[in-house]
Amino acid sequence: MTEQAAEEPFHDTDRQEQADRLGMLVFLASEIMLFGGIFAATMALRIQHPQDYMKAASHLRLALGTANTAILLTSSLAAALAVEGARSGRSRWAARALAAACLLGTAFLAVKGYEYAGEYREGLMPGTAAAHFSGPLQRLFMDLYFLATGLHAFHVLTGIVLMLTAALNRTALHDRRAVLIGNVALYWHLVDIVWIFLFPTLYLAGVP
Amino acid sequence: MTRASNRPPVVPPEAALPSYLRAGYTLRSWLLTTDHKRIAILYLVSISFFFLIGAIAAALIRLELLTPAGDLLTNDGYNRAFSIHGIIMVWFFLIPSIPNTFGNFLIPLMIGARDLAFPRLNLLSWYIYVVAGLITLYVVLSGGVDTGWTFYTPLSSVYANGAVVAAILAVFISGFSSILTGLNFIVTVHKLRAPGMTWGRLPLFVWSHYATSIIFVLATPVLAITLLLVAAERLFGIGVFDPALGGDPLLFQHLFWFYSHPAVYIMILPALGVISELITSAAHKRIFGYWFVAYASIAIAVIGFFVWGHHMFVSGQSYYASAIFSFLSIAVAVPSAIKVYNWTATLYKGDIELNAPLLYAMGFIGLFVAGGLTGLMLAMLAIDVHVHDTYFVVAHFHYIMVGGTVTAFFGAMHYWWPKITGRLYPEAWARASALVILVGFNVTFFPLFLLGYEGMPRRYHVYPESFQVLQVISSCGALLLAAGYLLPVAYLGWSLFRGAKAPANPWGATGLEWTTSSPPPKHNFIEQPVVERGPYDYPISDPLSRSND
Ligand SMILES: [Cu+2]
């Protein structure tokens, strides 16, 4: 276990650790508002055209969405275990748990890519020549679906990169306070939470 | 708030540590600095540059409006002039103006910290701003856009000409600079207060920046996603706002104003903080009702999130929604009024020194009250139907943003000039410029209230001849106002080289920033300050106790 000196402008590491945590939380609040705009757009659509919305949503592959929910929740568990591993001094454990979370995150992206490919073949991808929709509402729904899941996938990718960096950082793995790993895991949990809301909004809305 | 018997800690001699200005002379030492004070200067230089461009666009607008015919600019040229004026003034001057310069410079000094919590993030925020600014310059040079600063759909998404996507991208990117600044301020205020600096001892400037930061963090991402959706519609035909594609153009207005009304408070809250400092310092008196003023900032930030619908009274939104938005818009005037009353109560029986900062502050109060009261009129459903989208609205928000924020910006510039540069400015010139600005401002913008009430719509450059007299008066006022803004540039520039050396505390003020040398050393304080008193603990009615050392 290595002791680190506080960086400028902090006098002690305790304060710095609290500041890092608070900074991450404030950033996550900002992220929530970012997705909030998309959720607002989706809600407006759903309230204005409930029937069409449901019909459009039923075209999504519920099984794949459900599988991805399970995958992402499990990866969040792995991230949480990584924090516990670092706190209890088992740095190898922490590294493994982070790697597992990264792998599951990659699996999520793979499933998502497979799903996108299928939608592309069906002609549901907006902005492509082959696009054919049953009506403007379905088109708009699919547009929003791609925007929301695309933005989310971008966050998944960022999260994977962050967790990989943490997993390869010896100082972070040996840090009994788990400052870096804790904050990266927090970010990953947000990615997870956003999905927990996206899943019912987009997929479950199509279940009659 | 307790009052300690002795004065603030001993002022360190200038020679003890080199000031932040002398901590390095290379360009590199400026461009890679993580010192919040230097980053504040970087911001000051860049926002001044954009203020100049926005002002040139304003000059074009005022020149064009001298005659009822559209002779100087084409229709399209006029549209582009006011769009560039709005986009640059809002996002590249007003929003970063006070927070990123004075907030950046002063918050650590005021709470007794060595720097902001995340110094590198602070520098990154400036670079993001610069990238966004360069894209805006590209937009200007490529001929501009004709969307107006509001980017309303379907105009912006379907019909508008010019580099709309680039303009949207620039505003989108500049938002991340705002978010990072807000995040940095929030964490700094929570985690870097000096020992003894309780929340009740925070200067009101810090409170108002804390409230601003909440808006930065929570409102800006909504603008980001909204602009992203507009760009997606323009580029890929993703029609969230296009009824032909199943979308809803009003949704854009909801999302846009959900950000842009709170953004008005991003522009005015820091100014309110500045005025609280200027008033207490000039009156040498404790602020009247500290907690009311402090919580008024928070109340404005919170209520400000729920009033956006007052921009949409004539858009066809439900009457019930309009009534609620109208009520909330009137409610948000209450904390603003509390501040004005408390400032005047602070001045009452104060030991007043009628210096230039106070002149600016009093000008601010008058203009802010005029802008605020007309804001109340606009919040009334019936009046709004009459004056919606007229010059009345234009006059109202210029009273708040130019009369309010820019006046406070100049007031802050004078008040903290000795601290920032280590030089004193020439007081007589400063008083003259404060008066010229106040008169010039009113001559420019008061006629717009009359024009608007008589029905002159905004964003038109061809108008009936009966409006010409007032338009010409306004354009003449703009000339005076420009002179008023250039005057300080001249004498402040002069004082940089020839001004008298400033002592640590030229105003005899009580804030922590005045306990360190002018200009402060790199890490602000030689020893960690320990706070034992409130922010405005002036000895009551004892003029001799001013420490004009
Ligand atoms: Cu508003």
Side-chain angles (χ1 to χ4, degrees):
Chain A
M1 185 181 147
T2 47
E3 256 316 317
Q4 276 180 289
E7 280 177 54
E8 279 297 329
F10 294 94
H11 292 284
D12 59 281
T13 46
D14 259 3
R15 263 300 151 97
Q16 189 176 356
E17 180 192 334
Q18 292 170 14
D20 287 350
R21 171 56 55 97
L22 183 62
M24 180 49 89
L25 287 173
V26 172
F27 177 70
L28 295 187
S30 200
E31 288 271 32
I32 287 173
M33 294 305 284
L34 183 76
F35 281 98
I38 286 195
F39 279 113
T42 324
M43 281 300 143
L45 193 64
R46 171 146 196 199
I47 291 165
Q48 283 172 353
H49 315 276
Q51 298 299 325
D52 293 321
Y53 188 95
M54 215 180 107
K55 240 176 79 192
S58 65
H59 283 267
L60 298 183
R61 312 259 288 270
L62 185 62
L64 292 181
T66 314
N68 253 350
T69 310
I71 292 172
L72 210 56
L73 282 173
T74 317
S75 80
S76 243
L77 172 69
L81 287 176
V83 180
E84 287 313 312
R87 287 216 174 114
S88 55
R90 277 172 281 188
S91 59
R92 203 168 272 186
W93 238 96
R96 276 185 203 142
L98 279 176
C102 284
L103 265 178
L104 286 164
T106 316
F108 174 91
L109 287 180
V111 173
K112 201 83 212 109
Y114 174 73
E115 205 180 343
Y116 282 158
E119 278 143 2
Y120 176 76
R121 277 196 302 276
E122 278 180 60
L124 294 175
M125 185 85 83
T128 51
H132 59 86
F133 303 97
S134 58
L137 249 300
Q138 192 192 7
R139 175 177 177 159
L140 185 56
F141 176 86
M142 289 308 293
D143 290 350
L144 276 171
Y145 157 81
F146 279 106
L147 262 172
T149 53
L151 189 67
H152 178 259
F154 172 74
H155 281 76
V156 173
L157 196 64
T158 315
I160 293 174
V161 172
L162 285 177
M163 289 193 296
L164 262 185
T165 335
L168 297 174
N169 184 331
R170 282 184 59 86
T171 337
L173 290 172
H174 286 93
D175 178 10
R176 291 289 291 258
R177 302 152 184 269
V179 178
L180 182 71
I181 294 179
N183 283 333
V184 167
L186 255 188
Y187 181 84
W188 191 248
H189 296 325
L190 176 93
V191 171
D192 198 0
I193 286 173
V194 170
W195 180 259
I196 289 175
F197 281 87
L198 280 176
F199 180 59
T201 310
L202 298 170
Y203 291 84
L204 291 183
V207 180
Chain B
M1 276 173 271
T2 54
R3 248 183 88 198
S5 53
N6 49 355
R7 293 257 99 207
V10 193
V11 175
E14 164 83 19
L17 270 181
S19 82
Y20 78 99
L21 291 170
R22 297 178 189 284
Y25 294 96
T26 57
L27 189 63
R28 190 190 148 87
S29 75
W30 279 91
L31 292 182
L32 292 181
T33 183
T34 51
D35 184 344
H36 65 104
K37 301 183 287 303
R38 285 196 163 199
I39 296 171
I41 304 286
L42 292 177
Y43 262 114
L44 180 62
V45 172
S46 29
I47 64 164
S48 304
F49 172 72
F50 280 104
F51 184 76
L52 185 69
I53 299 184
I56 291 172
L60 278 176
I61 294 169
R62 278 322 326 165
L63 271 176
E64 164 61 58
L65 291 168
L66 276 172
T67 56
D71 29 26
L72 178 68
L73 296 170
T74 59
N75 293 351
D76 192 43
Y78 186 77
N79 290 344
R80 286 165 192 251
F82 72 66
S83 301
I84 284 298
H85 170 69
I87 291 170
I88 288 193
M89 285 304 203
V90 169
W91 282 294
F92 294 92
F93 176 74
L94 284 165
I95 288 197
S97 62
I98 295 177
N100 279 316
T101 53
F102 296 105
N104 228 334
F105 195 99
L106 292 166
I107 289 175
L109 282 165
M110 284 179 161
I111 64 173
R114 291 194 279 192
D115 205 320
L116 289 175
F118 307 114
R120 275 169 297 181
L121 207 61
N122 196 18
L123 183 66
L124 176 68
S125 140
W126 181 71
Y127 274 105
I128 293 175
Y129 172 85
V130 169
V131 169
L134 289 177
I135 299 175
T136 311
L137 278 186
Y138 160 76
V139 173
V140 175
L141 294 176
S142 70
V145 291
D146 57 358
T147 56
W149 77 277
T150 46
F151 293 110
Y152 265 25
T153 54
L155 174 60
S156 63
S157 53
V158 182
Y159 303 106
N161 304 306
V164 179
V165 173
I168 285 175
L169 186 69
V171 176
F172 176 79
I173 293 175
S174 81
F176 291 98
S177 157
S178 299
I179 293 173
L180 295 184
T181 300
L183 188 157
N184 220 338
F185 285 176
I186 291 178
V187 176
T188 305
V189 173
H190 273 278
K191 297 298 170 198
L192 278 176
R193 281 172 287 125
M197 178 56 84
T198 56
W199 286 86
R201 287 176 181 165
L202 282 180
L204 292 163
F205 180 90
V206 178
W207 272 102
S208 72
H209 275 76
Y210 185 81
T212 309
S213 303
I214 294 175
I215 307 177
F216 267 145
V217 168
L218 295 183
T220 318
V222 179
L223 176 74
I225 198 71
T226 311
L227 292 177
L228 209 61
L229 290 172
V230 174
E233 181 162 340
R234 225 182 139 81
L235 291 174
F236 310 114
I238 294 183
V240 179
F241 305 126
D242 185 351
L245 301 174
D248 182 357
L250 272 191
L251 180 64
F252 173 84
Q253 294 186 26
H254 280 293
L255 290 176
F256 178 81
W257 290 114
F258 182 84
Y259 162 79
S260 288
H261 187 83
V264 171
Y265 296 120
I266 293 178
M267 301 179 219
I268 199 67
L269 273 169
L272 301 175
V274 166
I275 300 304
S276 295
E277 302 299 318
L278 266 48
I279 296 267
T280 46
S281 164
H284 295 95
K285 203 165 153 242
R286 186 181 296 189
I287 189 93
F288 181 87
Y290 173 89
W291 283 110
F292 279 90
V293 183
Y295 280 134
S297 289
I298 306 293
I300 289 173
V302 173
I303 304 174
F305 271 104
F306 303 101
V307 302
W308 78 89
H310 63 215
H311 296 270
M312 301 169 62
F313 287 159
V314 298
S315 70
Q317 73 181 357
S318 90
Y319 287 120
Y320 301 108
S322 288
I324 291 167
F325 281 125
S326 171
F327 170 77
L328 286 169
S329 306
I330 294 166
V332 81
V334 174
S336 313
I338 286 176
K339 288 190 181 246
V340 172
Y341 286 125
N342 285 23
W343 292 327
T344 42
T346 305
L347 285 171
Y348 178 67
K349 287 195 172 168
D351 168 23
I352 293 175
E353 199 179 326
L354 201 65
N355 48 32
L358 182 64
L359 284 182
Y360 277 108
M362 294 204 301
F364 172 95
I365 294 179
L367 300 176
F368 179 66
V369 167
L373 288 179
T374 48
L376 278 182
M377 290 169 70
L378 286 167
M380 312 277 171
L381 295 175
I383 302 180
D384 186 71
V385 172
H386 177 56
V387 291
H388 188 86
D389 266 351
T390 67
Y391 270 33
F392 194 86
V393 177
V394 177
H396 154 70
F397 69 71
H398 279 85
Y399 262 73
I400 297 289
M401 292 177 191
V402 185
T405 307
V406 180
T407 304
F409 183 80
F410 274 90
M413 186 67 92
H414 286 81
Y415 181 63
W416 283 290
W417 185 257
K419 183 54 62 187
I420 294 172
T421 65
R423 302 284 181 158
L424 296 176
Y425 62 82
E427 181 67 29
W429 280 101
R431 288 181 198 186
S433 82
L435 290 177
V436 174
I437 288 175
L438 185 64
V439 173
F441 176 85
N442 280 302
V443 177
T444 311
F445 291 103
F446 192 77
L448 304 194
F449 278 127
L450 306 175
L451 282 168
Y453 208 78
E454 285 170 12
M456 171 83 203
R458 66 194 285 196
R459 296 178 171 177
Y460 279 71
H461 70 317
V462 180
Y463 56 86
E465 270 173 31
S466 55
F467 290 150
Q468 194 180 6
V469 177
L470 288 171
Q471 289 281 17
V472 171
I473 294 176
S474 172
S475 290
C476 295
L479 198 64
L480 194 61
L481 188 59
Y485 286 156
L486 284 173
L487 212 53
V489 176
Y491 64 75
L492 288 179
W494 173 88
S495 86
L496 266 185
F497 303 99
R498 298 289 165 84
K501 284 250 190 305
N505 188 2
W507 306 109
T510 52
L512 262 191
E513 77 268 31
W514 303 107
T515 61
T516 186
S517 56
S518 304
K522 186 157 185 267
H523 288 304
N524 296 346
F525 301 96
I526 289 175
E527 279 172 27
Q528 171 67 54
V530 178
V531 183
E532 288 165 347
R533 341 169 276 159
Y536 310 109
D537 252 349
Y538 289 96
I540 294 160
S541 56
D542 180 11
L544 290 177
S545 67
R546 287 184 206 165
S547 61
N548 281 307
D549 31 24

